Amino acid sequence: MSLKFGTSGLRGLSTDLNGPAAALYATAFAQYLLSSGQASPGDPILLGRDFRDSSPSISAICAGALARAGLTVLDCGTVPTPALALYGLEKGAAGLMITGSHIPADRNGIKFYRPDGEIAKIDEQAIGAAADALKAQASAIDATPGEAEDHAAQAESLFLARNKAILAEGALSGLKVGVYQHSTVARDMFVEVLAHYGADVVPLGRSAEFIPVDTEAVSPATIDLLKGWASEYKLDAIVSADGDGDRPLVSDETGLPLRGDLLGLIAAQFVGAMVAVTPITSNSGLERQEGLSVLRTRVGSPFVIEAMQEAVRDGKTGVVGFEANGGTLTATDFILNGTMLKALPTRDSFLPVLAVLSRAAHRQRPLSSIVADIALPVALSDRIENFPLETSAALMAHLRAGMDNLSAFLKPIGTPQSVSDIDGLRVTLSDLSIIHFRPSGNAPEMRCYVEAETAGKAESLLEQGLARIRAFESQRG
């Protein structure tokens, strides 16, 4: 079975996961929780899912496996991943979210949560080892579906209450905001929360079929939709999220999407953070923001969470994290609107959406103007889908083999000045522009990130970078 842990959870083809594999990993997770003392027989364990066609079946199989392992399964239904995580922290319960996030509809995955929050890389290794031990046993894995107690209303209510306390009453009055609903599990909650704060909300593009939306590399087709809606309805902004609602998408009044790391920065400033943990792929201009200490990590929420936890252990206060996809995490509590926003160390799309919309409403200025004031370098990214894993591995090995290889590869683009190898290869060129090559951690995709001083230069650099990747693939033939 071609399943693997990526930047956030287990991922693979739905056909590989939907069956014994789902039962295998659910059982392995239950055994790990029980053997490590993080759960006892009979303890509750949460189960949520996105709207993919395969998610209900995979969820039912996991429910059966978890029940047979001795745990009490609470079905939280189709809720955003941060809602599941928040409910788990409230109940002190572990959880599984059946989701492929933003990856194509023919794929799916499982995100795992301990009773104290999202699993770390060391937990992934333990779960993988438990799964390998189960596979080695002679008896077949039982993939019989099971039932679960319905806790969807409780999980949803807790998350809505959190988000309805972040801003003052009427804080978004005067804003007309579109909600691109597509197939994200956050679609109805976004409408309810924004309307609660007085925004004029326009639901858009609701779909019965699953549509993968990558908030870090928004497709041209999606951008065309956003621009059309922004013009047609005279919107101040359009908001959305990926499939499981933990990565935000926000466009300005023209329909142009805002960078996720910019959303994270605004969220950090909104809560009054002192420390921001973010992957190497986030904008290099973050380090120039006053009053914010920036710590860099590899790509993936487990690495961000680990660094946030280390910052807290070191005595740091006001600690947040965010990724280039916009998902924002809080490692410490914050006081907002006179109430405490409890730490939620998992990706959340709602906090950054509310932060950026409240800034627009408070300053009574277009989002495009607010973005221009922050003046980060122009950063773009894109991906090549269905890029064989062996080809991406070969490309990275070739580029890492020596500066001669890297220089020759980049010769049509520019001259390397310095290189970072934290996660993929991030190359600063002689003109101080940046190009970064990185295989996706959870899908057969090759990603390219760029930064430059102007939009035109960034667009050209991204186009050239993707062309070099395709040329390498073609040469391997």
Side-chain angles (χ1 to χ4, degrees), residues 141-211:
I141 296 294
D142 186 351
T144 305
E147 300 293 329
E149 297 179 22
D150 185 358
H151 275 243
Q154 295 93 317
E156 180 178 331
S157 176
L158 182 67
F159 193 61
L160 284 172
R162 172 188 178 89
N163 286 291
K164 288 181 178 180
I166 289 176
L167 304 178
E169 182 179 352
L172 302 184
S173 296
L175 289 185
K176 189 174 185 182
V177 183
V179 174
Y180 176 28
Q181 294 194 302
H182 63 94
S183 50
T184 175
V185 290
R187 58 192 183 186
D188 293 326
M189 285 193 185
F190 267 136
V191 172
E192 182 171 344
V193 170
L194 299 182
H196 168 77
Y197 288 120
D200 179 5
V201 182
V202 182
L204 302 163
R206 191 180 185 95
S207 174
E209 296 182 0
F210 186 83
I211 299 174

Side-chain angles (χ1 to χ4, degrees), residues 236-256:
D236 295 299
I238 300 174
V239 306
S240 188
D242 63 340
D244 65 318
D246 68 348
R247 306 178 183 206
L249 174 62
V250 179
S251 81
D252 66 15
E253 73 282 0
T254 72
L256 184 66

Side-chain angles (χ1 to χ4, degrees), residues 274-293:
M274 303 295 292
V275 178
V277 179
T278 194
I280 189 65
T281 51
S282 292
N283 198 293
S284 63
L286 296 174
E287 276 79 0
R288 298 199 293 269
Q289 303 303 306
E290 291 185 9
L292 191 64
S293 174

Side-chain angles (χ1 to χ4, degrees), residues 91-111:
K91 294 189 69 67
L96 290 81
M97 181 71 182
I98 312 303
T99 179
S101 187
H102 64 285
I103 61 177
D106 64 341
R107 294 172 170 82
N108 213 326
I110 305 176
K111 292 181 179 180

Side-chain angles (χ1 to χ4, degrees), residues 144-438:
T144 305
E147 300 293 329
E149 297 179 22
D150 185 358
H151 275 243
Q154 295 93 317
E156 180 178 331
S157 176
L158 182 67
F159 193 61
L160 284 172
R162 172 188 178 89
N163 286 291
K164 288 181 178 180
I166 289 176
L167 304 178
E169 182 179 352
L172 302 184
S173 296
L175 289 185
K176 189 174 185 182
V177 183
V179 174
Y180 176 28
Q181 294 194 302
H182 63 94
S183 50
T184 175
V185 290
R187 58 192 183 186
D188 293 326
M189 285 193 185
F190 267 136
V191 172
E192 182 171 344
V193 170
L194 299 182
H196 168 77
Y197 288 120
D200 179 5
V201 182
V202 182
L204 302 163
R206 191 180 185 95
S207 174
E209 296 182 0
F210 186 83
I211 299 174
V213 172
D214 187 346
T215 66
E216 190 173 354
V218 185
S219 70
T222 299
I223 293 176
D224 286 344
L225 281 175
L226 298 175
K227 288 183 175 179
W229 287 326
S231 175
E232 179 181 357
Y233 295 100
K234 296 180 172 52
L235 301 172
D236 295 299
I238 300 174
V239 306
S240 188
D242 63 340
D244 65 318
D246 68 348
R247 306 178 183 206
L249 174 62
V250 179
S251 81
D252 66 15
E253 73 282 0
T254 72
L256 184 66
L258 277 58
R259 284 273 307 182
D261 42 20
L262 175 62
L263 299 179
L265 171 62
I266 292 174
Q269 294 171 337
F270 172 74
V271 300
M274 303 295 292
V275 178
V277 179
T278 194
I280 189 65
T281 51
S282 292
N283 198 293
S284 63
L286 296 174
E287 276 79 0
R288 298 199 293 269
Q289 303 303 306
E290 291 185 9
L292 191 64
S293 174
V294 179
L295 306 176
R296 297 282 181 165
T297 71
R298 294 179 61 188
V299 175
S301 54
F303 298 112
V304 173
I305 292 168
E306 182 181 0
M308 288 196 307
Q309 292 172 338
E310 184 175 350
V312 172
R313 288 194 296 268
D314 289 344
K316 301 290 196 304
T317 58
V319 180
V320 304
F322 56 85
E323 300 185 83
N325 55 48
T328 302
L329 313 87
T330 50
T332 54
D333 299 338
F334 293 92
I335 301 297
L336 296 176
N337 189 35
T339 61
M340 180 177 290
L341 183 75
K342 291 186 178 180
L344 183 58
T346 196
R347 279 192 302 247
D348 175 24
S349 63
F350 280 71
L351 177 60
V353 163
L354 292 175
V356 72
L357 291 181
S358 66
R359 178 174 292 195
H362 177 71
R363 298 186 180 181
Q364 296 185 332
R365 292 170 57 199
L367 278 181
S368 60
S369 173
I370 289 172
V371 170
D373 285 347
I374 298 175
L376 294 176
V378 178
L380 302 173
S381 65
D382 204 348
R383 59 184 175 167
I384 300 177
E385 297 181 274
N386 300 313
F387 196 86
L389 297 177
E390 58 271 19
T391 304
S392 60
L395 171 59
M396 299 311 296
H398 174 75
L399 298 180
R400 288 186 171 114
M403 186 57 71
D404 288 345
N405 284 6
L406 182 61
S407 296
F409 184 81
L410 291 174
K411 187 174 181 179
I413 300 175
T415 303
Q417 182 181 83
S418 62
V419 180
S420 168
D421 201 2
I422 291 178
D423 194 346
L425 284 178
R426 190 172 181 86
V427 184
T428 301
L429 302 174
S430 58
D431 64 356
L432 301 184
S433 59
I434 294 172
I435 188 164
H436 183 169
F437 302 105
R438 175 184 164 270

